[in-house]
């Protein structure tokens, strides 16, 4: 209701419910208002670890590239499969996908081999902003919805197919803009990701021709301040083409 009164909306027109909830919680934290106790509802989101999952864990090393397909997660059943897989086999777990986001499952024939998740871009990334020609923070805020972050990329641990990761990324990028347009009614100009260099070398992104921009500052949000409390990560970005012939408009 508050979003409707303020006309507080995403670029797609949907209400900014998550930021509004965050604002209300902060106002309560600062002593400006008292919120009612959270309501427990039937049908609450199940924890990913409790979701049923049956997958074939036999080693898989050879495949026909023509059998590779990427499916947009658009049903409750597919979302449960995505959540269960990523929670069990990705080192970060499923996490929270808020705001505009798209999830994908990757198959070889009818066998799932990978999962990807795209979500909100990082608010502050000077290296990315310089790469895109965004000269100040106002430009970044006006155009951040044109960038998405590859928040999750999981190839199941028993899948040992050479060059599969870069092939999956390339196929996903080819359809990403069209899928984003269909879901959120605007296109993208760039994708980004952050690779924990203590665990990975970013080989998949390099092979898929993403650009390495350097290392992050290792700063994260804590309350209203930014502090050095995060792992320093390698930043990779890739400019992508619009699904149609028109040029995506960037606001000054």
């Amino acid at each position: 209701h508050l979003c409707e009164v303020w006309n507080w909306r995403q670029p797609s027109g949907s209400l900014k419910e998550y930021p509004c909830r965050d604002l209300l919680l902060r106002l309560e934290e600062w002593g400006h208002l008292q919120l009612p106790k959270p309501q427990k509802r039937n049908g609450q989101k199940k924890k990913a670890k409790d979701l049923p999952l049956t997958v074939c864990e036999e080693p898989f090393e050879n495949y026909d590239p023509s059998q590779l397909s990427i499916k947009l997660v658009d049903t409750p059943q597919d979302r449960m499969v995505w959540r269960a897989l990523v929670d069990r086999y990705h080192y970060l777990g499923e996490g929270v996908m808020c705001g505009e986001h798209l999830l994908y499952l990757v198959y070889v024939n009818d066998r799932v081999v990978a999962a990807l998740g795209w979500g909100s871009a990082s608010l502050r990334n000077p290296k990315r902003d310089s790469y895109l020609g965004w000269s100040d923070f106002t430009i970044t805020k006006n155009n951040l919805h044109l960038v998405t972050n590859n928040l999750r990329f999981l190839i199941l641990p028993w899948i040992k197919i050479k060059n599969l990761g870069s092939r999956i990324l390339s196929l996903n990028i080819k359809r990403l803009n069209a899928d984003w347009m269909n879901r959120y009614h605007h296109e993208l100009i760039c994708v980004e990701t952050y690779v924990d260099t203590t665990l990975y070398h970013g080989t998949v992104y390099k092979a898929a021709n993403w650009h390495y921009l350097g290392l992050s500052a290792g700063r994260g949000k804590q309350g209203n301040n930014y502090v050095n409390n995060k792992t320093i990560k390698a930043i990779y970005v890739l400019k992508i083409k619009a699904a149609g012939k028109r040029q995506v408009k960037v606001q000054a």
Side-chain angles (χ1 to χ4, degrees), residues 16 30 47 52 54 82 104 107 118 127 129 148 164 213:
K16 287 192 173 184
W30 297 331
K47 293 182 178 179
T54 302
W82 190 96
Y104 292 89
Y107 293 85
W118 303 86
K127 291 184 174 68
D129 295 349
T148 186
L164 179 63
L213 298 185

Side-chain angles (χ1 to χ4, degrees), residues 45 134 161 194 231 245:
K45 181 179 177 182
W134 295 352
I161 301 173
Y194 299 84
T231 303
K245 295 182 179 180

Side-chain angles (χ1 to χ4, degrees), residues 62-75:
N62 297 297
Y63 81 116
D64 181 345
S66 66
Q67 299 171 342
L68 184 68
S69 63
I70 299 179
K71 181 181 180 183
L72 177 66
V73 172
D74 57 3
T75 67

Side-chain angles (χ1 to χ4, degrees), residues 176-192:
L176 184 61
N177 239 334
D179 291 339
W180 208 275
M181 184 68 182
N182 288 336
R183 179 74 60 85
Y184 297 114
H185 311 295
H186 71 86
E187 294 179 309
L188 303 165
I189 63 170
C190 183
V191 291
E192 67 179 9

